[in-house]
Amino acid sequence: MAINAAVDETDPLLAKHNRTISKSTSQLALVGSRVCPIESLDFEIAENELLNQDLRARSDRVEFFGYLILKWVLCFIIGVLSGCVGFFFNLAIENIAGVKFVVTSNMMLANRYLWAFGVFGASNLVLTMFAAIITAFIAPEAAGSGIPEVKAYLNGIDAPEIFSFRTLVIKIAGCISAVSSSLHVGKAGPMLHTTACIASLLGQGGSCKYRPACRWLRCVKNDRDRRDLVTCGAGAGIAAAFRAPIGGVLFVLESLSSWWRSTLLWRAFFTTAVVLVVLRTLIDFCKSGKCGLFGKGGLIMFEVTAESVSYHLVDLPPVIFLGVIGGILGSLYNFLLDKVLRFYTHINEKGRAYKLLLAACVSIFTSCCLFGLPWLASCRRCPGGISEACPTIGRSGNFKKFQCSIDHYNDLASLFFNTIDDTIRNLYSAGTDRAFSKYSILLFFVTSYFLGIVSYGLVAPSGLFMPVILTGATYGRLIGMLMGSNSTLDHGLFAVLGSASFLSGSMRMTVSVSVILLELTNNLLLLPLVMVVALISKTVADCFNTNIYDMLVKLKGFPLLHRHVDSYMGQLTVGDVVTAPLQMFNGVEKVGNIVHILKTTGHNGFPVIDKPPFSESPVLYGLVLRMHLLVLLKKRCFLSSQLPSQINTSEQFSADDFVKGSSGRRDSIDDILLTAEEMEMFIDLHPFTNTSPYTVVETMSLAKAHLLFHQISLRHLLVIPMLNSRMPVVGILTRHDFMPEHVLQLHPFLVGGRSKLLQFRKSTEFLRDIC
């Protein structure tokens, strides 16, 4: 029987920890910034005698409709809370960063430049270190964007604390602090993780150590329903970050979710619609001036302010060129980020002090760039006939005064000396073709490109979405400036297309990118150009490497089960990858044997075999889960003899006794203390065994079994023999058995073919996606 997960041994930190762990335990992955054990989720419903009795007792229509209504009520609550959290994110960031920029600008206005730099750099360092310290010492799982962890969970991988209340609080506080510190990081990813935490906690009935805290929420008691809630929560996070309800649903569908169905689509869309209503209500409240410095900034609504967007056939070549450049730069971005993260891993594994030192160094370097580089730009005279104030002092705007004299502005400071939201808005603004010089845009592009790479991976909540949008907008506007009179498109429109190309080049999204940018710019006329750019960019980038989130999932060691099947799997049967020994139980098993197997293995499913005198020959009765065995041992449901129990199980147990605990919470066999007399007793496993587990014949191809395993969202797949003369079960397939590392270790002769296949897949991945 195989272990439930695999780890990428190319990561030194994971490999080091994996060598120290017994083969009988769960495998490891990097969750946030902490190495944790992981296991698979149970999306399959165990059909046993106890469950059937419970269903018969609850078969009334009132309870069914109550269960249905509860799901919609939970989606409504998730939407309301996600909207409030999204608003709080932006309100806090705009006010904290705004105060920092106002104080610094006032000092520069008084020609106290060294003091201004000291205040700017010190405030950035304090905010960065606050985010790093609370993350490193309180909730390491909150580090990073959280999107790889959510993607792994929706794929069926569970890890401790990824959705805990502690992670939720640190994610919010750390992200606000990190983004306000002028680090080149975004808030969209952490916001998605935050709303996913909210959804998961609601599905558990609140923050409770092992069981749902609220009894009225116990009907959401299986991994499948909780997965659906987390899916809705993830969509709500993107909707809250960009005010893009449809884009949020499509992002989860295109980039995160491994399984989808129409009913889930409706609930996810309803959730994101609620988010939009809540945000709109809160934004209207802020128009009265009661939200401090929070005004036009934040809750990004990048309006390309031209009343109409016109384009002609002559504009198509630069748009195509923009898509090609986006694919090349996006794939290079992923490559460099992978190398930087592996370097950071070597530093972070040395301890918390090194993690904090790394965060401090990046913060100081970033402050030097943001404050120092604008001095390289020359001051420009304020243009005439504009509605916006010029120069702007201490607030958002296209015309930052910085060190310039009156009636002049520093265009590079307008980009560097701003929040990421405001900088993107400046680049997207229509009618500002002469606001920035080519030199300033080029310098800002190079700086933002590499700052986005080195800023991610610190021990702090940080996202990739906003830096990618910003960098894409920069080189998009640069290409528009280089085209000059050869194109009729506005430079702000080129910036929007640049963001689309870079998002598609790094994250490989097409549909969701197009919709999110349309909702951001509030202009449907951009759709054809955005679609062309996104498709070209993704096609080009797929020729070089994989998308950024799959790269992060692999780097963290999550054994993601992909939709596609590698061709080499067609050369193998399931019998070729099943490994021994297989642990099995009798229908009536001795307590001591159960305890011994649970202590010496990390398996989560065990075949139950009936042997004579209970049957004429050994037959497969079903599959029993470790979690259910632990409940039986805790309840001490023991028999004095090895005879089937005649006791009505519904009188001793209820379905609530077997409700799975919260995400990442696991009961341990070591917590159960039994006497020597109890160890000699027996347990009748028949009433608690899933009598209809999925099975495949040992001669089935591994490729066909992979499709079955993925499409039905299984955790265990029993392998039965072709001939009845053998034992009724020859092995169990788990997620680990489909991982390339495991298969190629068992069959090294496939290694050469595997490498050739990978090269071929890179050049044909786009074609497979659209087929």
PDB file of all heavy atoms in Angstrom, residues 454-484:
ATOM      1  N   VAL A 454      12.376  39.439  -6.446  1.00  0.00           N
ATOM      2  CA  VAL A 454      13.115  39.304  -5.181  1.00  0.00           C
ATOM      3  C   VAL A 454      12.233  39.553  -3.966  1.00  0.00           C
ATOM      4  O   VAL A 454      12.573  39.139  -2.856  1.00  0.00           O
ATOM      5  CB  VAL A 454      14.322  40.265  -5.149  1.00  0.00           C
ATOM      6  CG1 VAL A 454      15.271  39.969  -6.291  1.00  0.00           C
ATOM      7  CG2 VAL A 454      13.872  41.722  -5.178  1.00  0.00           C
ATOM      8  N   SER A 455      11.086  40.219  -4.147  1.00  0.00           N
ATOM      9  CA  SER A 455      10.217  40.516  -3.005  1.00  0.00           C
ATOM     10  C   SER A 455       9.345  39.332  -2.629  1.00  0.00           C
ATOM     11  O   SER A 455       8.908  39.230  -1.476  1.00  0.00           O
ATOM     12  CB  SER A 455       9.333  41.734  -3.300  1.00  0.00           C
ATOM     13  OG  SER A 455      10.120  42.881  -3.531  1.00  0.00           O
ATOM     14  N   TYR A 456       9.054  38.450  -3.575  1.00  0.00           N
ATOM     15  CA  TYR A 456       8.221  37.289  -3.276  1.00  0.00           C
ATOM     16  C   TYR A 456       9.094  36.188  -2.668  1.00  0.00           C
ATOM     17  O   TYR A 456      10.231  36.000  -3.066  1.00  0.00           O
ATOM     18  CB  TYR A 456       7.555  36.766  -4.547  1.00  0.00           C
ATOM     19  CG  TYR A 456       6.515  35.707  -4.280  1.00  0.00           C
ATOM     20  CD1 TYR A 456       5.239  36.056  -3.851  1.00  0.00           C
ATOM     21  CD2 TYR A 456       6.804  34.359  -4.422  1.00  0.00           C
ATOM     22  CE1 TYR A 456       4.281  35.096  -3.595  1.00  0.00           C
ATOM     23  CE2 TYR A 456       5.853  33.389  -4.166  1.00  0.00           C
ATOM     24  CZ  TYR A 456       4.597  33.759  -3.754  1.00  0.00           C
ATOM     25  OH  TYR A 456       3.647  32.793  -3.486  1.00  0.00           O
ATOM     26  N   GLY A 457       8.548  35.475  -1.730  1.00  0.00           N
ATOM     27  CA  GLY A 457       9.295  34.402  -1.082  1.00  0.00           C
ATOM     28  C   GLY A 457       9.795  34.759   0.294  1.00  0.00           C
ATOM     29  O   GLY A 457      10.395  33.922   0.971  1.00  0.00           O
ATOM     30  N   LEU A 458       9.577  36.015   0.722  1.00  0.00           N
ATOM     31  CA  LEU A 458       9.934  36.394   2.084  1.00  0.00           C
ATOM     32  C   LEU A 458       8.938  35.777   3.063  1.00  0.00           C
ATOM     33  O   LEU A 458       7.828  35.388   2.688  1.00  0.00           O
ATOM     34  CB  LEU A 458       9.937  37.921   2.228  1.00  0.00           C
ATOM     35  CG  LEU A 458      10.835  38.704   1.266  1.00  0.00           C
ATOM     36  CD1 LEU A 458      10.717  40.193   1.533  1.00  0.00           C
ATOM     37  CD2 LEU A 458      12.283  38.252   1.391  1.00  0.00           C
ATOM     38  N   VAL A 459       9.323  35.738   4.321  1.00  0.00           N
ATOM     39  CA  VAL A 459       8.447  35.156   5.336  1.00  0.00           C
ATOM     40  C   VAL A 459       7.402  36.205   5.728  1.00  0.00           C
ATOM     41  O   VAL A 459       7.397  36.758   6.847  1.00  0.00           O
ATOM     42  CB  VAL A 459       9.260  34.666   6.555  1.00  0.00           C
ATOM     43  CG1 VAL A 459      10.085  35.768   7.170  1.00  0.00           C
ATOM     44  CG2 VAL A 459       8.356  33.989   7.582  1.00  0.00           C
ATOM     45  N   ALA A 460       6.504  36.476   4.790  1.00  0.00           N
ATOM     46  CA  ALA A 460       5.441  37.455   4.993  1.00  0.00           C
ATOM     47  C   ALA A 460       4.351  37.182   3.967  1.00  0.00           C
ATOM     48  O   ALA A 460       4.638  36.667   2.879  1.00  0.00           O
ATOM     49  CB  ALA A 460       5.972  38.885   4.854  1.00  0.00           C
ATOM     50  N   PRO A 461       3.111  37.514   4.276  1.00  0.00           N
ATOM     51  CA  PRO A 461       2.048  37.367   3.274  1.00  0.00           C
ATOM     52  C   PRO A 461       2.302  38.281   2.084  1.00  0.00           C
ATOM     53  O   PRO A 461       2.510  39.481   2.253  1.00  0.00           O
ATOM     54  CB  PRO A 461       0.781  37.781   4.038  1.00  0.00           C
ATOM     55  CG  PRO A 461       1.119  37.593   5.478  1.00  0.00           C
ATOM     56  CD  PRO A 461       2.580  37.927   5.584  1.00  0.00           C
ATOM     57  N   SER A 462       2.306  37.730   0.905  1.00  0.00           N
ATOM     58  CA  SER A 462       2.626  38.526  -0.279  1.00  0.00           C
ATOM     59  C   SER A 462       2.037  37.859  -1.504  1.00  0.00           C
ATOM     60  O   SER A 462       2.011  36.637  -1.605  1.00  0.00           O
ATOM     61  CB  SER A 462       4.145  38.679  -0.443  1.00  0.00           C
ATOM     62  OG  SER A 462       4.771  37.410  -0.466  1.00  0.00           O
ATOM     63  N   GLY A 463       1.565  38.682  -2.439  1.00  0.00           N
ATOM     64  CA  GLY A 463       0.961  38.169  -3.654  1.00  0.00           C
ATOM     65  C   GLY A 463       1.759  38.524  -4.888  1.00  0.00           C
ATOM     66  O   GLY A 463       2.645  39.398  -4.858  1.00  0.00           O
ATOM     67  N   LEU A 464       1.432  37.860  -5.975  1.00  0.00           N
ATOM     68  CA  LEU A 464       2.113  38.075  -7.253  1.00  0.00           C
ATOM     69  C   LEU A 464       1.255  38.822  -8.261  1.00  0.00           C
ATOM     70  O   LEU A 464       1.768  39.366  -9.240  1.00  0.00           O
ATOM     71  CB  LEU A 464       2.515  36.720  -7.857  1.00  0.00           C
ATOM     72  CG  LEU A 464       3.684  35.983  -7.211  1.00  0.00           C
ATOM     73  CD1 LEU A 464       3.746  34.554  -7.724  1.00  0.00           C
ATOM     74  CD2 LEU A 464       4.985  36.696  -7.495  1.00  0.00           C
ATOM     75  N   PHE A 465      -0.044  38.845  -8.045  1.00  0.00           N
ATOM     76  CA  PHE A 465      -0.957  39.387  -9.041  1.00  0.00           C
ATOM     77  C   PHE A 465      -0.647  40.849  -9.363  1.00  0.00           C
ATOM     78  O   PHE A 465      -0.474  41.226 -10.527  1.00  0.00           O
ATOM     79  CB  PHE A 465      -2.395  39.263  -8.534  1.00  0.00           C
ATOM     80  CG  PHE A 465      -3.314  38.579  -9.495  1.00  0.00           C
ATOM     81  CD1 PHE A 465      -3.813  37.316  -9.231  1.00  0.00           C
ATOM     82  CD2 PHE A 465      -3.699  39.203 -10.663  1.00  0.00           C
ATOM     83  CE1 PHE A 465      -4.661  36.683 -10.111  1.00  0.00           C
ATOM     84  CE2 PHE A 465      -4.556  38.590 -11.556  1.00  0.00           C
ATOM     85  CZ  PHE A 465      -5.043  37.316 -11.273  1.00  0.00           C
ATOM     86  N   MET A 466      -0.580  41.681  -8.342  1.00  0.00           N
ATOM     87  CA  MET A 466      -0.411  43.110  -8.563  1.00  0.00           C
ATOM     88  C   MET A 466       0.949  43.460  -9.170  1.00  0.00           C
ATOM     89  O   MET A 466       1.021  44.278 -10.098  1.00  0.00           O
ATOM     90  CB  MET A 466      -0.632  43.875  -7.253  1.00  0.00           C
ATOM     91  CG  MET A 466      -2.011  43.692  -6.659  1.00  0.00           C
ATOM     92  SD  MET A 466      -3.325  44.158  -7.806  1.00  0.00           S
ATOM     93  CE  MET A 466      -2.962  45.877  -8.043  1.00  0.00           C
ATOM     94  N   PRO A 467       2.071  42.886  -8.685  1.00  0.00           N
ATOM     95  CA  PRO A 467       3.344  43.178  -9.352  1.00  0.00           C
ATOM     96  C   PRO A 467       3.358  42.759 -10.821  1.00  0.00           C
ATOM     97  O   PRO A 467       3.964  43.450 -11.655  1.00  0.00           O
ATOM     98  CB  PRO A 467       4.364  42.366  -8.534  1.00  0.00           C
ATOM     99  CG  PRO A 467       3.744  42.225  -7.187  1.00  0.00           C
ATOM    100  CD  PRO A 467       2.282  42.108  -7.446  1.00  0.00           C
ATOM    101  N   VAL A 468       2.709  41.643 -11.131  1.00  0.00           N
ATOM    102  CA  VAL A 468       2.653  41.202 -12.531  1.00  0.00           C
ATOM    103  C   VAL A 468       1.836  42.183 -13.365  1.00  0.00           C
ATOM    104  O   VAL A 468       2.217  42.551 -14.488  1.00  0.00           O
ATOM    105  CB  VAL A 468       2.071  39.777 -12.610  1.00  0.00           C
ATOM    106  CG1 VAL A 468       1.728  39.399 -14.048  1.00  0.00           C
ATOM    107  CG2 VAL A 468       3.063  38.772 -12.035  1.00  0.00           C
ATOM    108  N   ILE A 469       0.697  42.626 -12.844  1.00  0.00           N
ATOM    109  CA  ILE A 469      -0.114  43.609 -13.564  1.00  0.00           C
ATOM    110  C   ILE A 469       0.679  44.899 -13.776  1.00  0.00           C
ATOM    111  O   ILE A 469       0.662  45.501 -14.860  1.00  0.00           O
ATOM    112  CB  ILE A 469      -1.418  43.889 -12.783  1.00  0.00           C
ATOM    113  CG1 ILE A 469      -2.327  42.659 -12.816  1.00  0.00           C
ATOM    114  CG2 ILE A 469      -2.148  45.087 -13.364  1.00  0.00           C
ATOM    115  CD1 ILE A 469      -3.603  42.826 -12.018  1.00  0.00           C
ATOM    116  N   LEU A 470       1.381  45.329 -12.727  1.00  0.00           N
ATOM    117  CA  LEU A 470       2.162  46.562 -12.811  1.00  0.00           C
ATOM    118  C   LEU A 470       3.276  46.457 -13.844  1.00  0.00           C
ATOM    119  O   LEU A 470       3.451  47.350 -14.681  1.00  0.00           O
ATOM    120  CB  LEU A 470       2.742  46.890 -11.434  1.00  0.00           C
ATOM    121  CG  LEU A 470       3.719  48.064 -11.372  1.00  0.00           C
ATOM    122  CD1 LEU A 470       3.021  49.354 -11.775  1.00  0.00           C
ATOM    123  CD2 LEU A 470       4.322  48.193  -9.988  1.00  0.00           C
ATOM    124  N   THR A 471       4.042  45.380 -13.797  1.00  0.00           N
ATOM    125  CA  THR A 471       5.154  45.214 -14.733  1.00  0.00           C
ATOM    126  C   THR A 471       4.646  45.131 -16.168  1.00  0.00           C
ATOM    127  O   THR A 471       5.221  45.732 -17.085  1.00  0.00           O
ATOM    128  CB  THR A 471       5.957  43.957 -14.384  1.00  0.00           C
ATOM    129  OG1 THR A 471       6.406  44.038 -13.027  1.00  0.00           O
ATOM    130  CG2 THR A 471       7.158  43.803 -15.300  1.00  0.00           C
ATOM    131  N   GLY A 472       3.561  44.396 -16.375  1.00  0.00           N
ATOM    132  CA  GLY A 472       2.984  44.313 -17.716  1.00  0.00           C
ATOM    133  C   GLY A 472       2.505  45.655 -18.222  1.00  0.00           C
ATOM    134  O   GLY A 472       2.704  46.005 -19.398  1.00  0.00           O
ATOM    135  N   ALA A 473       1.872  46.441 -17.347  1.00  0.00           N
ATOM    136  CA  ALA A 473       1.407  47.765 -17.751  1.00  0.00           C
ATOM    137  C   ALA A 473       2.576  48.667 -18.133  1.00  0.00           C
ATOM    138  O   ALA A 473       2.455  49.498 -19.047  1.00  0.00           O
ATOM    139  CB  ALA A 473       0.604  48.393 -16.612  1.00  0.00           C
ATOM    140  N   THR A 474       3.709  48.490 -17.478  1.00  0.00           N
ATOM    141  CA  THR A 474       4.870  49.343 -17.750  1.00  0.00           C
ATOM    142  C   THR A 474       5.435  49.076 -19.145  1.00  0.00           C
ATOM    143  O   THR A 474       5.633  50.007 -19.938  1.00  0.00           O
ATOM    144  CB  THR A 474       5.958  49.115 -16.694  1.00  0.00           C
ATOM    145  OG1 THR A 474       5.396  49.284 -15.393  1.00  0.00           O
ATOM    146  CG2 THR A 474       7.091  50.095 -16.874  1.00  0.00           C
ATOM    147  N   TYR A 475       5.704  47.787 -19.448  1.00  0.00           N
ATOM    148  CA  TYR A 475       6.281  47.552 -20.776  1.00  0.00           C
ATOM    149  C   TYR A 475       5.220  47.701 -21.871  1.00  0.00           C
ATOM    150  O   TYR A 475       5.553  47.983 -23.033  1.00  0.00           O
ATOM    151  CB  TYR A 475       6.991  46.203 -20.855  1.00  0.00           C
ATOM    152  CG  TYR A 475       6.136  44.971 -20.935  1.00  0.00           C
ATOM    153  CD1 TYR A 475       5.427  44.646 -22.088  1.00  0.00           C
ATOM    154  CD2 TYR A 475       6.068  44.082 -19.874  1.00  0.00           C
ATOM    155  CE1 TYR A 475       4.672  43.497 -22.167  1.00  0.00           C
ATOM    156  CE2 TYR A 475       5.322  42.936 -19.939  1.00  0.00           C
ATOM    157  CZ  TYR A 475       4.619  42.647 -21.092  1.00  0.00           C
ATOM    158  OH  TYR A 475       3.864  41.499 -21.158  1.00  0.00           O
ATOM    159  N   GLY A 476       3.945  47.545 -21.519  1.00  0.00           N
ATOM    160  CA  GLY A 476       2.907  47.827 -22.509  1.00  0.00           C
ATOM    161  C   GLY A 476       2.902  49.294 -22.906  1.00  0.00           C
ATOM    162  O   GLY A 476       2.823  49.639 -24.092  1.00  0.00           O
ATOM    163  N   ARG A 477       3.022  50.162 -21.910  1.00  0.00           N
ATOM    164  CA  ARG A 477       3.058  51.598 -22.212  1.00  0.00           C
ATOM    165  C   ARG A 477       4.344  51.954 -22.949  1.00  0.00           C
ATOM    166  O   ARG A 477       4.340  52.821 -23.837  1.00  0.00           O
ATOM    167  CB  ARG A 477       2.946  52.405 -20.921  1.00  0.00           C
ATOM    168  CG  ARG A 477       2.640  53.872 -21.152  1.00  0.00           C
ATOM    169  CD  ARG A 477       2.357  54.609 -19.859  1.00  0.00           C
ATOM    170  NE  ARG A 477       1.945  55.978 -20.133  1.00  0.00           N
ATOM    171  CZ  ARG A 477       0.691  56.427 -20.127  1.00  0.00           C
ATOM    172  NH1 ARG A 477      -0.290  55.577 -19.843  1.00  0.00           N
ATOM    173  NH2 ARG A 477       0.414  57.676 -20.394  1.00  0.00           N
ATOM    174  N   LEU A 478       5.455  51.284 -22.603  1.00  0.00           N
ATOM    175  CA  LEU A 478       6.715  51.542 -23.299  1.00  0.00           C
ATOM    176  C   LEU A 478       6.599  51.191 -24.778  1.00  0.00           C
ATOM    177  O   LEU A 478       7.071  51.953 -25.647  1.00  0.00           O
ATOM    178  CB  LEU A 478       7.836  50.739 -22.646  1.00  0.00           C
ATOM    179  CG  LEU A 478       9.213  50.853 -23.292  1.00  0.00           C
ATOM    180  CD1 LEU A 478       9.708  52.298 -23.242  1.00  0.00           C
ATOM    181  CD2 LEU A 478      10.208  49.924 -22.606  1.00  0.00           C
ATOM    182  N   ILE A 479       5.982  50.062 -25.090  1.00  0.00           N
ATOM    183  CA  ILE A 479       5.811  49.681 -26.499  1.00  0.00           C
ATOM    184  C   ILE A 479       4.909  50.684 -27.212  1.00  0.00           C
ATOM    185  O   ILE A 479       5.143  51.051 -28.378  1.00  0.00           O
ATOM    186  CB  ILE A 479       5.242  48.254 -26.592  1.00  0.00           C
ATOM    187  CG1 ILE A 479       6.300  47.250 -26.138  1.00  0.00           C
ATOM    188  CG2 ILE A 479       4.779  47.930 -28.014  1.00  0.00           C
ATOM    189  CD1 ILE A 479       5.836  45.814 -26.136  1.00  0.00           C
ATOM    190  N   GLY A 480       3.878  51.151 -26.517  1.00  0.00           N
ATOM    191  CA  GLY A 480       3.023  52.166 -27.114  1.00  0.00           C
ATOM    192  C   GLY A 480       3.790  53.442 -27.429  1.00  0.00           C
ATOM    193  O   GLY A 480       3.569  54.074 -28.470  1.00  0.00           O
ATOM    194  N   MET A 481       4.708  53.831 -26.542  1.00  0.00           N
ATOM    195  CA  MET A 481       5.511  55.030 -26.788  1.00  0.00           C
ATOM    196  C   MET A 481       6.472  54.820 -27.954  1.00  0.00           C
ATOM    197  O   MET A 481       6.707  55.742 -28.751  1.00  0.00           O
ATOM    198  CB  MET A 481       6.283  55.390 -25.520  1.00  0.00           C
ATOM    199  CG  MET A 481       5.385  55.731 -24.338  1.00  0.00           C
ATOM    200  SD  MET A 481       6.282  55.918 -22.775  1.00  0.00           S
ATOM    201  CE  MET A 481       7.135  57.456 -23.065  1.00  0.00           C
ATOM    202  N   LEU A 482       7.016  53.596 -28.066  1.00  0.00           N
ATOM    203  CA  LEU A 482       7.938  53.314 -29.167  1.00  0.00           C
ATOM    204  C   LEU A 482       7.212  53.279 -30.512  1.00  0.00           C
ATOM    205  O   LEU A 482       7.801  53.611 -31.547  1.00  0.00           O
ATOM    206  CB  LEU A 482       8.647  51.983 -28.923  1.00  0.00           C
ATOM    207  CG  LEU A 482       9.596  51.939 -27.710  1.00  0.00           C
ATOM    208  CD1 LEU A 482      10.152  50.532 -27.526  1.00  0.00           C
ATOM    209  CD2 LEU A 482      10.733  52.943 -27.880  1.00  0.00           C
ATOM    210  N   MET A 483       5.942  52.872 -30.496  1.00  0.00           N
ATOM    211  CA  MET A 483       5.186  52.835 -31.751  1.00  0.00           C
ATOM    212  C   MET A 483       4.902  54.239 -32.259  1.00  0.00           C
ATOM    213  O   MET A 483       4.855  54.471 -33.476  1.00  0.00           O
ATOM    214  CB  MET A 483       3.869  52.079 -31.539  1.00  0.00           C
ATOM    215  CG  MET A 483       4.031  50.599 -31.245  1.00  0.00           C
ATOM    216  SD  MET A 483       4.913  49.731 -32.560  1.00  0.00           S
ATOM    217  CE  MET A 483       3.848  50.054 -33.962  1.00  0.00           C
ATOM    218  N   GLY A 484       4.718  55.177 -31.361  1.00  0.00           N
ATOM    219  CA  GLY A 484       4.494  56.560 -31.770  1.00  0.00           C
ATOM    220  C   GLY A 484       3.284  56.707 -32.659  1.00  0.00           C
ATOM    221  O   GLY A 484       2.190  56.206 -32.370  1.00  0.00           O
TER     222      GLY A 484
END
